[in-house]
């Protein structure tokens, strides 16, 4: 039975068996092989049986479908073919018992996997080099450098681990060049963060710290030019380079490394010995090595970046949460939640309204040692001080008018678990003082009570306010702020994680399609583009409401631009003129339909909602969005 084996990407390690039916591949949830990767199109490609085999066809995807490194529109597949879809790499196999593991160690160089399997053991690189240079005297400098060059070339694809590759190149270079030490320096842009330096000394058998001249390195990289001097002390241009003078360097070579004609770093060599002076032939040799090594180092660096990304994704996969997102911003959130969950520290979650602060709090609880214990949440902005104190601390019977029975508060209910205090910035002075005592002692009294109660709880607070400003304005206690802000987490706004919008939209689309019993397959291109470009002041909550609105008012199996709420359609990014006139006409039609239903129902919203076939809550929201309330009130009074 034929199968697809996943070597890399979000679905790494899975085996997908192919049958007699077509298999659709894409980001869309309805795809038979669904890949949750923003670089994969919703409907990316399709595989279908063809004769005695299979063929793959690209469905006009944004980033293309590649077979053995070549972009294809349609291609027949043979055993061992490598298929790349976004960041996902698959191997097509016609063997029933084959697993993905045997392919994971193979270099991803675009070659057909079967061509890497050899029937006999080849001769080693050293053996081949010796055979090629048997006629050249062993002590010849040229022969040494030639052997070393071929040895380096043979080893460039042997190691895919960046550090090992760099160390191997430097070790070989110092076998052919009389330098005291060498280093490979990768620029910050290439390394992905800070510049990296891997050094090797002549007498060392491992990487060692090597001082390099940053001045020469930067000049070589920025100018894409080699730098060489066989007499540094007499060279006027190098006389002012302090790092060379301090170490009494006699000769130096710096050669830039490049990949795809873009500088990625440099190879640095120096010698402090007159007897082992670097010469022009050594410069030519290092330049030749750099030309071959640059692309190999860049590939290894890219692989390292992908492996680190995969580790972060795997860590996120093991994290229990209801948050959705694959953007870098959300990956940082997942990593931070994983670390916070292992501690028992008090947490302060910041972020704009609608960014998912409570979901983050629940994720921290679900991944902590308190998972099996209660998670209690209270919104501090919804209750006045007296009621809030009763909700938090509970009350004794008769403690105030209406307290006819004893009541346990949220603190007691959360004992052993987590208490989530949303909108903590809305707490009044009295509850702030009482909460501070709880944070300090984990002790409190019920309202009207005298017995001291102790609780074992973790407190997570959230706010969309700047509490530091509130402290300066004397509206929030400074000591309480520092008690709450032991560990902080900031939820990113949706406009800073636009790559997550299609994933979130698909998720909400599936939910509200089922809830409203109206099959909707996807968003149209126009609607999807608007969602990505819109600023989202209400963040994820606003997006959720927008998708529900579109599902309710849409009439096709695809969400169209005009199905989206008015605030989105009236945003500047939609455009003016005919577009606005069209949307105004659609809005007016909606107003007439809703108003007519309310009028027929004599102003009874429940009956009007039934006539429209929608939930009464949806009707209330429509009345607000379409500015119908005054008109409806007048009609109801007639």
């Amino acid at each position: 039975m034929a199968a697809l084996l996943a070597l890399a990407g979000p679905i790494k390690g899975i085996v997908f068996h192919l049958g007699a039916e077509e298999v659709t591949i894409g980001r869309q949830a309805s795809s038979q092989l669904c890949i949750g990767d923003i670089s994969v199109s919703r409907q990316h490609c399709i595989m279908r049986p063809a004769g005695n085999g299979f063929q793959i066809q690209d469905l006009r995807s944004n980033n293309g479908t590649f077979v053995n490194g070549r972009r294809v529109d349609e291609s027949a597949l043979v055993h061992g073919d490598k298929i790349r879809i976004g960041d996902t790499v698959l191997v097509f196999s016609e063997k029933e018992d084959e697993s993905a593991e045997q392919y994971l160690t193979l270099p991803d160089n675009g070659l057909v996997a079967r061509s890497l399997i050899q029937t006999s053991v080849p001769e080693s690189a050293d053996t081949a080099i010796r055979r090629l240079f048997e006629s050249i005297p062993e002590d010849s400098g040229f022969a040494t450098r030639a052997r070393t060059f071929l040895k380096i070339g043979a080893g460039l694809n042997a190691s895919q681990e960046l550090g090992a590759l760099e160390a191997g190149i430097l070790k070989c270079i110092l076998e052919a060049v009389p330098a005291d030490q060498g280093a490979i320096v990768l620029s910050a842009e290439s390394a992905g963060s800070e510049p990296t330096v891997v050094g090797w000394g002549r007498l060392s058998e491992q990487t060692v710290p090597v001082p390099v001249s940053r001045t020469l390195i930067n000049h070589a990289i920025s100018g894409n030019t080699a730098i060489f001097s066989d007499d540094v002390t007499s060279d006027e241009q190098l006389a002012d380079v302090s790092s060379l003078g301090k170490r009494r360097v006699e000769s130096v070579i710096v050669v830039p490394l490049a990949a795809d004609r873009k500088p990625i770093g440099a190879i640095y060599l120096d010698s402090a010995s007159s007897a082992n002076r670097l010469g022009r032939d050594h410069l030519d040799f290092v330049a030749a090595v750099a030309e071959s090594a640059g692309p190999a180092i860049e590939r290894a660096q890219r692989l390292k970046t992908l492996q680190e990304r995969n580790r972060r994704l795997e860590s996120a996969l093991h994290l229990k949460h209801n948050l959705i997102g694959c953007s870098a911003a959300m990956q940082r959130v997942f990593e931070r939640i994983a670390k916070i969950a292992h501690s028992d520290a008090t947490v302060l979650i910041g972020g704009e309204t609608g960014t998912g602060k409570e979901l983050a709090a629940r994720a921290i609880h679900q991944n902590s040692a308190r998972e099996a214990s209660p998670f209690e949440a209270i919104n501090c902005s919804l209750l006045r001080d007296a009621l809030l104190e009763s909700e938090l601390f509970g009350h004794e019977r008769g403690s105030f008018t209406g307290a006819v029975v004893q009541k346990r508060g949220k603190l007691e209910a959360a004992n052993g678990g987590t208490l989530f205090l949303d909108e903590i910035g809305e707490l009044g002075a009295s509850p702030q003082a009482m909460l501070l005592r709880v944070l300090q002692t984990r002790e409190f009294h019920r309202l009207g009570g005298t017995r001291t109660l102790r609780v074992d709880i973790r407190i997570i607070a959230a706010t969309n306010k700047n509490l530091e400003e509130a402290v300066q304005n004397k509206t929030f206690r400074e000591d309480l702020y520092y008690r709450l802000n032991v560990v902080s987490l900031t939820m990113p706004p949706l406009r800073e994680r636009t790559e997550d919008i299609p994933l979130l939209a698909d998720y909400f689309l599936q939910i509200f399609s089922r809830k409203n019993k109206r099959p909707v397959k996807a968003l149209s291109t126009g609607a999807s583009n608007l969602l990505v470009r819109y600023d989202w002041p209400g963040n994820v909550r606003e997006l959720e409401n927008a998708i529900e609105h579109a599902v309710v008012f849409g009439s096709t199996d695809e969400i169209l631009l005009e199905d989206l709420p008015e605030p989105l359609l009236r945003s500047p990014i939609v455009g003016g003129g005919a577009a606005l006139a069209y949307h105004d006409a659609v809005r007016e039609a909606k107003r007439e339909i809703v108003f007519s239903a309310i009028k027929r129902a004599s102003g009874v919203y429940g009956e009007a909602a039934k006539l429209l076939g929608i939930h009464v809550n949806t009707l209330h929201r429509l009345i607000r969005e379409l500015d119908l309330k005054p008109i409806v009130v007048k009609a109801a009074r007639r």
Side-chain angles (χ1 to χ4, degrees), residues 413-444:
N415 191 25
T418 302
L419 175 64
F420 175 59
L421 301 172
D422 199 7
E423 303 297 348
I424 191 71
E426 302 297 331
L427 275 182
S430 177
Q432 285 185 39
M434 298 175 75
L435 180 59
L436 178 62
R437 174 175 169 77
V438 174
L439 285 167
Q440 291 172 331
T441 65
R442 292 301 193 269
E443 295 179 353
F444 67 98

Side-chain angles (χ1 to χ4, degrees), residues 227-259:
I227 298 171
F228 164 70
S229 177
D230 58 1
D231 189 358
V232 171
T233 55
S234 302
D235 194 318
E236 294 182 0
Q237 292 182 327
L238 300 181
D240 295 332
V241 180
S242 58
S243 59
L244 299 179
K246 288 179 182 178
R247 293 183 290 111
R248 298 181 180 180
V249 171
E250 292 280 344
S251 51
V252 64
I253 290 174
V254 186
V255 175
L257 286 165

Side-chain angles (χ1 to χ4, degrees), residues 362-561:
R362 289 184 181 275
I364 293 171
H365 172 75
Q366 290 168 358
N367 293 276
S368 71
R370 299 178 180 270
E371 177 191 7
S373 300
F375 177 92
E376 294 290 333
I378 184 169
N379 191 317
C380 301
S381 67
L382 299 181
L383 302 170
R384 297 193 304 274
D385 284 0
L387 290 175
L388 182 60
E389 290 172 10
S390 174
E391 283 294 312
L392 272 176
F393 305 105
H395 61 255
E396 298 291 351
R397 179 181 178 184
S399 58
F400 56 85
T401 303
V404 294
V405 295
Q406 184 193 72
K407 177 184 176 181
R408 296 169 69 234
K410 292 287 188 180
L411 285 167
E412 285 183 83
N415 191 25
T418 302
L419 175 64
F420 175 59
L421 301 172
D422 199 7
E423 303 297 348
I424 191 71
E426 302 297 331
L427 275 182
S430 177
Q432 285 185 39
M434 298 175 75
L435 180 59
L436 178 62
R437 174 175 169 77
V438 174
L439 285 167
Q440 291 172 331
T441 65
R442 292 301 193 269
E443 295 179 353
F444 67 98
H445 299 91
R446 295 195 193 104
L447 292 183
T450 57
R451 187 162 61 96
T452 299
L453 303 174
R454 288 191 60 84
V455 287
D456 171 26
I457 58 171
R458 179 183 198 168
I459 292 180
I460 302 176
T463 181
N464 60 4
K465 287 188 172 182
N466 187 328
L467 289 189
E468 291 184 357
E469 287 185 4
V471 168
Q472 293 174 0
N473 296 332
K474 307 298 183 183
T475 59
F476 199 85
R477 293 181 63 121
E478 184 176 14
D479 46 3
L480 177 59
Y481 170 68
Y482 289 118
R483 284 283 182 180
L484 291 170
N485 194 28
V486 177
V487 176
S488 63
L489 172 68
T490 301
M491 297 301 293
L494 193 54
R495 61 182 172 275
E496 293 180 6
R497 41 181 291 227
T498 53
E499 55 265 61
D500 291 334
I501 291 175
L503 296 176
L504 288 162
D506 280 345
Y507 173 75
F508 293 136
L509 192 61
Q510 293 175 36
I511 289 177
F512 295 121
S513 178
R514 289 194 299 268
K515 180 180 176 182
N516 291 277
K517 298 179 181 179
R518 194 174 83 76
V520 183
K521 294 182 179 179
L523 288 106
S524 68
T525 302
S528 181
N529 289 341
L530 175 57
L531 293 182
V532 172
R533 293 165 58 202
Y534 183 61
D535 197 42
W536 297 112
N539 293 295
V540 179
R541 189 177 295 124
E542 185 184 6
L543 174 61
E544 179 181 7
N545 292 339
I547 297 300
E548 183 176 12
H549 179 285
V551 170
V552 169
F553 283 99
S555 56
T556 68
D557 63 354
E558 190 176 55
I559 296 299
L560 305 177
L561 188 63

Side-chain angles (χ1 to χ4, degrees), residues 31 97 169 257 259 414 547:
S31 300
D97 299 327
I169 291 171
L257 286 165
I547 297 300

Side-chain angles (χ1 to χ4, degrees), residues 30-343:
S30 60
S31 300
Q32 279 92 352
L33 181 53
C34 179
I35 303 175
D37 178 357
I38 196 66
S39 62
V40 176
S41 296
R42 292 174 52 79
Q43 296 177 332
H44 197 102
C45 60
I46 189 169
M47 289 192 65
R48 58 171 61 94
N52 295 325
F54 281 82
Q55 68 178 16
I56 189 168
Q57 179 183 351
D58 185 75
L59 299 177
R60 297 183 179 179
S61 63
N62 291 332
N63 296 320
T65 301
F66 294 80
V67 176
N68 301 325
R70 182 174 59 87
R71 185 165 184 164
V72 298
D73 293 325
E74 188 171 333
S75 176
L77 297 174
V78 296
H79 178 71
D81 277 352
K82 271 191 180 179
I83 304 164
R84 181 165 65 81
I85 302 169
D87 290 338
T88 299
V89 179
L90 305 163
V91 168
F92 174 72
S93 171
E94 294 179 332
K95 296 181 180 179
E96 289 191 17
D97 299 327
E98 202 159 36
S99 65
E101 283 74 10
Q102 63 182 294
Y103 289 97
L104 294 177
T105 57
L106 297 179
D108 185 12
N109 56 5
L111 296 177
V112 179
R114 65 182 182 279
S115 69
L116 298 170
I117 303 172
Q118 300 178 352
T119 56
S120 60
V121 178
E123 62 183 353
S124 68
D126 287 341
T127 302
I129 291 168
R130 280 197 299 272
R131 186 167 53 78
L132 287 171
F133 289 91
E134 283 176 351
S135 59
I136 302 176
E138 287 290 330
D139 59 353
S140 165
F142 169 77
T144 300
R145 290 190 293 276
R147 290 189 183 94
T148 302
F149 182 77
L150 290 176
K151 185 177 179 181
I152 291 173
L156 285 179
N157 290 322
S159 174
Q160 296 189 43
E161 198 279 313
L162 181 62
L165 176 63
E166 291 175 311
I169 291 171
L170 288 170
K171 182 180 180 181
C172 288
I173 288 176
L174 291 182
E175 290 175 0
V177 176
D180 295 335
Q181 59 186 13
I184 292 178
V185 182
L186 296 183
S187 63
E189 182 179 346
S190 172
S193 55
E194 296 295 321
T196 61
V197 180
V198 173
W200 194 275
R202 174 165 295 283
L203 302 178
S204 66
E205 287 300 322
Q206 59 184 1
T207 56
V208 295
V210 168
V212 299
S213 169
R214 290 288 181 183
T215 302
L216 300 186
I217 293 288
N218 292 338
H219 184 69
I221 295 175
S222 61
N224 194 28
T225 183
I227 298 171
F228 164 70
S229 177
D230 58 1
D231 189 358
V232 171
T233 55
S234 302
D235 194 318
E236 294 182 0
Q237 292 182 327
L238 300 181
D240 295 332
V241 180
S242 58
S243 59
L244 299 179
K246 288 179 182 178
R247 293 183 290 111
R248 298 181 180 180
V249 171
E250 292 280 344
S251 51
V252 64
I253 290 174
V254 186
V255 175
L257 286 165
D260 294 330
R261 299 182 180 179
K262 296 180 181 178
I264 62 171
I267 297 177
Y268 175 92
L269 302 167
D270 67 30
S271 175
S273 169
S274 300
N276 293 324
R277 195 178 296 274
L278 303 177
R280 176 69 63 175
D281 51 350
H282 302 132
L283 170 65
D284 294 339
F285 168 72
V286 176
V289 170
E291 187 171 350
S292 299
I297 290 174
E298 196 270 340
R299 284 194 301 271
Q301 176 63 56
R302 194 186 318 129
L303 178 62
K304 180 182 177 182
T305 302
L306 289 174
Q307 288 172 336
E308 290 173 353
R309 180 183 175 190
N310 283 341
R311 279 194 293 270
R312 290 197 301 270
L313 289 173
E314 287 172 5
S315 175
L317 286 173
H318 291 103
L319 193 69
K320 289 180 282 188
H321 62 83
N322 292 320
L323 294 159
I324 295 174
C326 62
S327 62
M330 287 306 294
Q331 293 307 316
R332 289 191 292 269
V333 168
F334 296 148
E335 290 171 18
R336 196 159 179 82
I337 286 175
K339 291 180 180 178
I340 292 172
H342 292 308
S343 77

